[in-house]
Amino acid sequence: MTTPEVPPPGLSWVTADRAAALWTVRRKYVPQVASAHGVGTKEQKSYGTLGETTITMYSYAEVQRVVAALESGEVVLAPSWRADTEEGVRGARRDALTACGCVVLMLAVVIAVALLSS
């Protein structure tokens, strides 16, 4: 078993991407894993030229607790949720293809509307 990662000074919250990397899960399942294992969250707002963005942050200490539970086998995640299983890789590929399909469909609709309005 590896020793828990020591957070840099002042780091008490991590992003979903960091939690996904520590848990070796697909990014889309981070909220479910966090909720199922009592990981504390907070909303962080940032403001830019396109308006307000809200990001969910996860308690670093509680993320590390789940890492330890995963390593010890106390917590077992569905293979399709994991980033290091064949099922998880297939699911990530399917999600990427679905997103590409949606983009192509939106472009087709825009082109059709443009052609029909001419």
Side-chain angles (χ1 to χ4, degrees), residues 26 86-100:
R26 293 172 50 207
E86 189 174 323
E87 294 91 339
V89 170
R90 272 198 314 264
R93 192 176 306 124
R94 185 176 47 250
D95 291 348
L97 288 173
T98 300
C100 288

Side-chain angles (χ1 to χ4, degrees), residues 1-107:
M1 181 156 84
T2 60
T3 58
E5 187 177 301
V6 178
L11 176 66
S12 59
W13 298 92
V14 295
T15 63
D17 289 336
R18 182 73 180 128
L22 289 168
W23 293 337
T24 318
V25 299
R26 293 172 50 207
R27 166 64 179 82
K28 75 184 258 181
Y29 293 110
V30 168
Q32 290 94 322
V33 174
S35 176
H37 300 288
V39 175
T41 62
K42 73 173 185 174
E43 300 295 316
Q44 180 174 319
K45 295 183 186 299
S46 62
Y47 303 90
T49 56
L50 298 177
E52 180 180 284
T53 302
T54 303
I55 299 170
T56 301
M57 303 293 287
Y58 298 86
S59 167
Y60 185 82
E62 294 171 13
V63 166
Q64 282 300 111
R65 177 180 49 79
V66 175
V67 168
L70 285 166
E71 289 176 349
S72 71
E74 180 183 335
V75 170
V76 177
L77 301 175
S80 62
W81 287 21
R82 298 195 54 90
D84 59 352
T85 64
E86 189 174 323
E87 294 91 339
V89 170
R90 272 198 314 264
R93 192 176 306 124
R94 185 176 47 250
D95 291 348
L97 288 173
T98 300
C100 288
C102 289
V103 169
V104 169
L105 179 61
M106 287 189 297
L107 287 173

